[in-house]
Amino acid sequence: MLQSKPQEDTYLHKGLRAKLVDTLRQKGIKDEKVLAAINTVPRHFFLDTAFERIAYEDRAFQIVAQQTISHPYTVAFQTELLDVKKFDKVLEVGTGSSYQSCILAELGARVFSVERQRALYDFVNQFFFIKKYATIKRFYGDGYAGLSSYAPFDKIIVTAGAPFVPEKLIEQLKPGGIFVIPVGDDSGQKMLKITKGIDHKITTEELGDFDFVPMLEGKNK
Ligand code: SAH
């Protein structure tokens, strides 16, 4: 459960976080800005206090409504691919715990994050830590539609496993933009990095196997 009251971020937590950063470096994450963001955002605030000691292991955890907070490696990998620049407008599909949103905001992005599960959307409303970032806007809606009134985006990140690449999201990507999305089915997904050239030409790279909860159509009350 996300924590609605400020909790302590102790030397123990900071130490565990520094170790996690070492692990991510060993696993191949190179972008120092991404590693610094992981080193700054207290992941244990995004989890039930029961998980406090293990919050910095490189593993996923259940949050609300059968959803998960992704592995730190996955968050770091997707964020590195996005190559976030200060003031980038970033669309995120799948707010979940909002950990990924906070990492993007820490990198200076203006974040527009969409969540289809009402229970999760409401939960994050009560979460104290996200209030630190005035640059995160959250929406209850279906990410397949994107956010046409805020488009186009410099970057788009989908944090649920999509059965296909939604056309609306390609449309809402700026020329010169980067779009990172895991595509596949329940048995696993391939991480795709899609770039749109200045000439609108789409290029797709396939970058490894992942295991996300599914990207589902429509809103869930
Ligand atoms: N980025 C999250 C990880 C979320 S897990 C984090 O940092 O914790 C994936 C999330 O995607 C779930 O919360 C799920 O409800 C949401 N989701 C799935 N399909 C969606 C859709 N079509 N639109 C918006 N959110 C969606």
Side-chain angles (χ1 to χ4, degrees), residues 46 63-65 67-70 75 78 92-101 113-117 120 139 141-145 158-161 212-219:
F46 297 76
I63 42 173
V64 175
Q67 300 306 316
T68 52
I69 176 171
S70 306
V75 172
Q78 285 195 288
E92 178 192 23
V93 173
T95 315
S97 70
S98 77
Y99 177 70
Q100 172 78 71
S101 306
S113 187
V114 187
E115 172 57 55
R116 70 178 285 280
Q117 293 260 10
L120 258 177
F139 303 82
D142 178 3
Y144 277 96
V158 172
T159 65
F212 284 81
V213 294
M215 180 175 177
L216 302 172
E217 287 196 57
K219 290 193 277 187

Side-chain angles (χ1 to χ4, degrees), residues 10 22 30 51 57 62 65 71 84 112 114 116 118 120 122 146 152 158 172 180 188 192 197-198 204-205 207:
T10 64
D22 284 345
K30 292 191 182 68
F51 298 137
E57 292 178 8
Q62 287 272 338
H71 284 70
V84 177
F112 298 77
V114 187
R116 70 178 285 280
R118 182 90 227 182
L120 258 177
D122 289 345
V158 172
Q172 292 177 21
V180 176
L192 304 186
I198 302 297
T204 304
E205 271 175 86
L207 295 150

Side-chain angles (χ1 to χ4, degrees), residues 4 24 43 48 71 80 105 138 149 198 207:
S4 55
L24 297 179
R43 190 172 187 250
D48 193 285
H71 284 70
E80 186 168 68
R138 293 183 307 106
S149 47
I198 302 297
L207 295 150

Side-chain angles (χ1 to χ4, degrees), residues 2 17 20-21 24 34-35 37-47 55-56 63 68-76 79 92 94-106 113 124 127 129-130 133 136:
L2 308 182
R17 216 149 56 234
L20 171 63
V21 166
L24 297 179
V34 172
L35 292 168
I38 302 254
N39 205 21
T40 303
V41 178
R43 190 172 187 250
H44 68 284
F45 288 173
F46 297 76
L47 301 168
Y56 295 99
I63 42 173
T68 52
I69 176 171
S70 306
H71 284 70
Y73 175 75
T74 305
V75 172
T79 310
E92 178 192 23
T95 315
S97 70
S98 77
Y99 177 70
Q100 172 78 71
S101 306
C102 292
I103 294 287
L104 294 168
E106 193 59 45
S113 187
V124 174
F127 178 42
F129 185 73
I130 198 168
Y133 300 104
I136 301 177

